[in-house]
Amino acid sequence: MALRRPPPNDHGRRDCDSKKRRKEAEIYQALNREPIDVAALRRMAISEGGLLMDEIRCKVWPKLLNVNTEDLPPPPGKELREDNKDYQQVLLDVRRSLRRFPPGMPDEQREGLQEELIDSILQVLQRNPQLHYYQGYHDIVVTFLLVVGERPATALVEKLSTHHLRDFMDPTMDNTKHILNYLMPIIDQVNPELHDFMQRAEVGTIFALSWLITWFGHVLSDFRHVVRLYDFFLACHPLMPIYFAAVIVLYRAPEVLACECDMASVHHFLSQIPQDLPYETLISRAGDLFVQFPPSELAREAAQQQAERTAASTFKDFELASAQQRPDTVLRQRFRERLRAEERAKALLATKPRTNRFVKLAVMGLTVALGAAALAVVKSALEWAPKFELQIFP
């Protein structure tokens, strides 16, 4: 007798759909409360699946940034592009941004959106002369444009640019470099072997620059993954993107450690970000790490890395290099000497446990449930944002 194939089991899919419907209902409940429950919206944006769909993002993203969509800036006039010092660079960047638009979009529609993208960027810069355009900024603006439309996007990006992105829009990259300096201390807390390997390879952190300043919009090809990360970042502390960058590197640790221990090999490998990352797992892990190792605990080490790169701290290197005319050799030699000194110090302290790390890991557990981590991350975001008066608009 022929065996009959059992009917497909779609219980898992029904359960997933049921969870999404419950979450959607909870989001709208938070939106309809008086005042709006912004803390609940932040929790929803952080938790698995984020804000689910662009229709919901259009309603929630403005609340996360405290932007009143009933009072948007007027549409720009033709004079916006005249004698604008950033216009030519913005135009070049936007023309190169074809892959940021949905595949199959008609050319006419895409070209219209590119014109809106140019105007949104220039309008933010015109209204905030203290901000300085940087290449990659358009990757963030286009994400908002595609989700919420031109005028709301301009208002949201303006608030984002004066808060989360403010350090990237300074006249120099000093603050951006300082934020990148948090990357290695986070990695060191979790995987000292990986940290030390990367230090020996002298790879630095420049591979993560485009990740950070575009909120991964420039390096991820699937728009669904981009907006999922934007849900997460908008709901969190401004340094959360560097924690997410750290968890990507940590996730790829076995492959990194399999590379040749030199700058070119490791930098090339890390620069090629995979597109099939387990995003929800990594988001959960980034939230865990933020709770376990908050920026306040990493600030000293990040500042130390910055100090080691200042003119004052490297003047002896300059003197030696000038005398020997071999700056690269001298700098590498001094770096290796410093590593050897650090290794000797670590050997002396080998019997002493890393108390802070293990105590916190014991308290948090090796894998913290996102619910608990999300509450702490939300609390941090709310404490960080005193300028965001999280209440319903008058």
Side-chain angles (χ1 to χ4, degrees), residues 126-153:
Q126 182 189 60
R127 288 165 56 90
N128 300 272
Q130 78 278 13
L131 301 179
H132 296 262
Y133 178 76
Y134 64 88
Q135 288 182 278
Y137 182 67
H138 69 289
D139 284 298
I140 288 182
V141 182
V142 72
T143 303
F144 283 87
L145 177 65
L146 291 172
V147 172
V148 303
E150 181 184 8
R151 291 186 65 202

Side-chain angles (χ1 to χ4, degrees), residues 72-121:
L72 297 174
K78 293 182 180 180
E79 71 281 357
L80 179 66
R81 302 188 183 192
E82 297 175 359
D83 300 323
N84 190 299
K85 64 181 178 64
D86 295 304
Y87 173 64
Q88 289 301 324
Q89 184 61 58
V90 172
L91 179 63
L92 288 173
D93 290 345
V94 169
R95 282 178 175 172
R96 290 194 292 254
S97 66
L98 298 183
R99 71 178 190 85
R100 291 303 319 279
F101 294 89
M105 175 180 284
D107 289 346
E108 184 177 354
Q109 182 182 1
R110 174 184 50 75
E111 291 167 0
L113 287 171
Q114 286 179 304
E115 293 301 312
E116 292 178 3
L117 176 57
I118 292 171
D119 286 342
S120 289
I121 293 171

Side-chain angles (χ1 to χ4, degrees), residues 6 27 72 90 95 150 253 314 320 323 377 387 394:
I27 292 171
L72 297 174
V90 172
R95 282 178 175 172
E150 181 184 8
T314 58
L320 288 171
V377 174
K387 295 179 182 177

Side-chain angles (χ1 to χ4, degrees), residues 47 97 101 121 125 145 178 202 210 226 253 348 374 377 379 382:
S47 62
S97 66
F101 294 89
I121 293 171
L125 296 173
L145 177 65
H178 178 67
E202 303 179 33
S210 65
V226 174
L348 292 173
V377 174
K379 183 175 182 292
L382 292 173

Side-chain angles (χ1 to χ4, degrees), residues 215-263:
W215 277 13
F216 296 84
H218 183 72
V219 293
L220 299 182
S221 57
D222 192 324
F223 192 69
R224 294 172 303 170
H225 298 152
V226 174
V227 294
R228 173 65 188 100
L229 288 181
Y230 278 45
D231 293 341
F232 180 48
F233 295 153
L234 287 170
C236 293
H237 190 283
L239 286 179
M240 189 58 78
I242 202 68
Y243 281 81
F244 191 79
V247 298
I248 290 179
V249 178
L250 290 164
Y251 174 75
R252 306 182 75 194
E255 298 164 287
V256 175
L257 293 171
C259 291
E260 293 291 330
C261 189
D262 62 72
M263 183 180 68

Side-chain angles (χ1 to χ4, degrees), residues 203-349:
V203 68
T205 56
I206 198 67
F207 66 86
L209 177 62
S210 65
W211 305 358
L212 181 66
I213 65 175
T214 70
W215 277 13
F216 296 84
H218 183 72
V219 293
L220 299 182
S221 57
D222 192 324
F223 192 69
R224 294 172 303 170
H225 298 152
V226 174
V227 294
R228 173 65 188 100
L229 288 181
Y230 278 45
D231 293 341
F232 180 48
F233 295 153
L234 287 170
C236 293
H237 190 283
L239 286 179
M240 189 58 78
I242 202 68
Y243 281 81
F244 191 79
V247 298
I248 290 179
V249 178
L250 290 164
Y251 174 75
R252 306 182 75 194
E255 298 164 287
V256 175
L257 293 171
C259 291
E260 293 291 330
C261 189
D262 62 72
M263 183 180 68
S265 299
V266 179
H267 177 84
H268 176 74
F269 176 78
L270 288 172
S271 297
Q272 310 299 313
I273 189 169
Q275 299 297 312
D276 59 346
L277 293 169
Y279 292 95
E280 293 299 337
T281 300
L282 296 181
I283 286 171
S284 175
R285 185 60 176 145
D288 293 347
L289 292 183
F290 184 92
V291 173
Q292 295 171 42
F293 314 112
S296 58
E297 293 191 8
L298 303 175
R300 180 177 298 178
E301 192 170 346
Q304 177 64 25
Q305 291 194 35
Q306 181 74 4
E308 291 173 356
R309 292 170 173 80
T310 63
S313 64
T314 58
F315 183 68
K316 187 169 291 293
D317 294 333
F318 173 78
E319 286 184 313
L320 288 171
S322 299
Q324 300 182 28
Q325 299 299 309
R326 292 291 303 277
D328 56 337
T329 302
V330 173
L331 289 173
R332 286 175 183 270
Q333 180 182 350
R334 288 181 63 82
F335 184 85
R336 293 191 186 102
E337 289 172 353
R338 188 165 67 248
L339 278 180
R340 284 196 290 269
E342 290 173 357
E343 287 170 358
R344 287 194 296 269
K346 286 181 180 178
L348 292 173
L349 297 172

Side-chain angles (χ1 to χ4, degrees), residues 38 44 47 50 60 66 77 105 145 160 168 187 254 268 326 340 371-372:
V38 179
M44 298 297 168
S47 62
V60 175
N66 195 30
M105 175 180 284
L145 177 65
L160 194 72
F168 308 148
I187 293 172
H268 176 74
R326 292 291 303 277
R340 284 196 290 269

